[in-house]
Every structure is written in C-alpha cells, then in structure tokens.
Amino acid sequence: MDKDIDAARWARVQAHDKTADGEFFYAVRTTGVFCRPSCPARTAKRANVIFYETAAGAEAAGYRPCRRCHPLAMEGRDPHGSLMQAMASFIVAHADERLSLERLAQEAGMSPFHFQRSFKAVIGVSPKDYQAAERLRRFKDRLRAGDTVLGATFEAGYGSTSRIYERVGDNLGMTPSAYRAGGAGERIVHAARETALGPLMMAATERGICFVQFGTCADALARQLAQEFPRAQLEPAAAGGSAELDAWMVALGDHLAGVAPRPDLPLDLRGTAFQISVWRLLMSVREGEVVSYSELAAGVGAPRAVRAAASACAANRVAVLIPCHRALRADGGLGGYRWGLERKRALLDAERAHRVAA
Ligand SMILES: [Zn+2]
C-alpha cells in the first residue's frame, strides 16, 4: 500500500508536477535537502529519495529546505518569507508590465494556486492587488510632482497595454448585480440639508455613502433617491437616528461653505468597473486642478473611450466627494455637470481660490 503511494509520488516528482505541491515533500539523502514535488532541480535517484507528508516531518528528520523551490513557502511558514519578499520586489521592478499570475508563479517556481496562496500569506494581499497598489502609488507620486494625469498615467504603467479598471473590478465591495437589483434588501439612511450650493441629500448603506446630490428641495431629492434605489429600504436619518450620517453631512456642509477641506468619508460606489475606475481617478485629482475627459479615458487605460469617460462623470451619484466637477472638455470648456453648470463653476472657483490662498 505505502509502496503504491510512494510509486505514485515518485512519478509526480519525475514529472515536476506542480499540482502535487503541498500534498507531500521529498527529501534526498545524498544532499540533505528536501523539496516540493515540482522542484525544477534535476531529479535525484529514486533510491536516495524519502517522502514526507509535511515539511515539518522532513525538517524533523534533519533535512534542510531547498533554496531553489522553497518548500517552506508552500506551508506559508518560510521564516523570512524570503521568496515572497523577492517576488514582491520583482513585482515592484516590473510594475509597469502586464504580470499574469502564471508568469509570476513561473518566476517563483510554483503553481499559480500555491503562489497566490503563499504570496497572500506572507505579503498580506494578492499579487494583483500588490501590483495595483504599486502603480497607484507611482501614479499619485507623479501627480503630486505636478504631472498631468495623462503624463502620470503612462509613467505609472497605466498605458494602453494595461488597465487600471481590471484592479477596480474585483477589489471593491460593490456588486453590479446588487446595483441592478435596485438595492434590494439593503437599508439606506438619508438626510437632507441646506448648503452653500443649495439643498443637498446624503444617503449611505452600511458600507458607506452611496448618494450625495444637489436638488431643488428635500422632497425632490427623496424622490431621486427612491428612483435610483427603488428596492432598497429607505430611512430618514432623523427617524432611525444616524449620528454618523449627521456628522458626515456637517463635514461636507462645512467643506461647501469653504471652511473645511474635502472630508475623507467612506464610499459605497455602485457602477460598472469602468465607471468606478473613472471615479477613483477623479478622486486622485488634487483640489484646484482639473482633468480632461480624454485624460480620464487614457488614465483608465482606454484612451479612445473619451465619451464613455464623460458618461461615467455624468453617472456619478456622489457629488463633490467624487469630484466629477474637476473634469472638463479638452478645450477647457466646462463640459456638463449633472447638478448644473453654475454649481460646477462655483465648486471649481472655490477650489482654485482655496489653492491660491493655501
Ligand atoms: Zn528543490
């Protein structure tokens, strides 16, 4: 029986079978080293090989982990996480390239499945998220250094060969299907107040703010909210009591009155992956600066989708906090604004003045 198992294991070792990684380990008497089944090193002689169920078993028998295939990383207990640290550095060095999981796994000498698992165990996030974060960091650095969005976009590797929106799609808590269902089963708390730019309604799910809009009056805004989330359970904050929403409203109101910076509040974004990537990009544009719709399109890796980028701005449901008012036409024209060009102009003027004063 054991012989049969060992024979099957030996066949997988000879085949460098990646799917066997994690199932067992093999040690080589002559070298004193133990490996994962897929180790790319030349296969030892069968007579010198002993199998172990766990890396701990091989270690207990006095074998050292192979430096080539890092069998301890398999169990997520590579003491220094050295291979995964090295892979993290590799991702940083190649952040502007398209790095598939397969390519990274190959680089690490592991199966995609185990690489993904080990990387996450050691680094804390998936390789894809790690690369996205690195790109975003560079992108923001470029913007801070005074680059235009377009320039920063290409410098950060968000060019036509890569797509920031891939990252956004599977990172966010939002689910497009839940949105399509009109917020079914969700509780949305809302409140309205008068601001420097007119009546404003803010509404939030448990995850964050999903609606900030200007309107003619609180009733019209409540109807608008009901239209956008027809199947959600809508509750006035005053009735249910939501200290959080009240505080958020005050913070935003102060900002609109020009006495406080734009508050950093939790958002629950609902939209397509493309829309959300455009909104995220808008949020990285500094106060007092503007971007063109074509820069936005290029910024999300879809330089031809200028009209779609403009539509994404128009579809923004979270005014001011997602600063779609900072998006202009390429010729500097104001373009459109869902809540009226007067408000757009007022917001931009206030931000410019604020920046000059700062
Ligand atoms: Zn090895």
Side-chain angles (χ1 to χ4, degrees), residues 35 39 66 69:
C35 288
C39 182
C66 169
C69 68

Side-chain angles (χ1 to χ4, degrees), residues 26 33-41 65-71:
Y26 74 94
V33 163
F34 74 98
C35 288
R36 63 178 74 203
S38 73
C39 182
C66 169
R67 288 205 184 147
R68 183 120 184 240
C69 68
H70 299 268

Side-chain angles (χ1 to χ4, degrees), residues 14 34 95 121 138 234-235 242 252 264 281 303 323 341 357:
Q14 284 183 304
F34 74 98
R138 290 183 189 188
L234 303 178
E235 281 179 28
S242 173
L252 183 56
D264 188 16
L281 202 48
L341 286 180

Side-chain angles (χ1 to χ4, degrees), residues 24-210:
F24 64 92
F25 299 84
Y26 74 94
V28 182
R29 281 197 192 93
T30 45
T31 60
V33 163
F34 74 98
C35 288
R36 63 178 74 203
S38 73
C39 182
R42 201 161 67 88
T43 311
K45 285 195 179 122
R46 173 67 186 94
N48 296 326
V49 167
I50 314 156
F51 295 105
Y52 289 94
E53 300 286 334
T54 62
E59 278 182 307
Y63 291 98
R64 300 184 314 276
C66 169
R67 288 205 184 147
R68 183 120 184 240
C69 68
H70 299 268
L72 291 180
M74 242 15 267
E75 300 196 328
R77 38 178 214 100
D78 180 352
H80 309 293
S82 51
L83 174 61
M84 292 308 126
Q85 296 293 354
M87 288 308 297
S89 304
F90 178 87
I91 290 174
V92 168
H94 298 84
D96 54 349
E97 294 169 32
R98 187 177 167 78
L99 296 176
S100 66
L101 183 58
E102 286 69 27
R103 180 174 162 203
L104 290 169
Q106 198 175 14
E107 191 71 32
M110 304 169 78
S111 73
F113 174 78
H114 286 117
F115 170 67
Q116 171 101 345
R117 201 170 65 173
S118 302
F119 191 91
K120 209 167 171 180
V122 174
I123 306 295
V125 296
S126 74
K128 193 174 180 178
D129 286 350
Y130 191 80
Q131 185 185 11
E134 171 61 19
R135 284 186 179 185
L136 198 61
R137 192 187 63 71
R138 290 183 189 188
F139 181 75
K140 288 191 165 167
D141 281 353
R142 303 291 314 185
L143 286 180
R144 267 195 291 274
D147 265 25
T148 63
V149 169
L150 187 64
T153 294
F154 287 106
E155 292 277 351
Y158 286 142
S160 55
T161 55
S162 54
R163 302 181 184 90
I164 184 175
Y165 57 83
E166 280 182 346
R167 171 185 72 86
V168 173
D170 46 63
N171 257 0
L172 285 177
M174 70 93 206
T175 57
S177 58
Y179 172 64
R180 267 184 236 112
E186 286 188 285
R187 179 172 166 268
I188 295 179
V189 182
H190 58 90
R193 67 177 274 166
E194 193 62 37
T195 72
L197 294 178
L200 178 86
M201 177 168 279
M202 182 184 281
T205 66
E206 280 170 7
R207 281 177 298 201
I209 295 166
C210 60

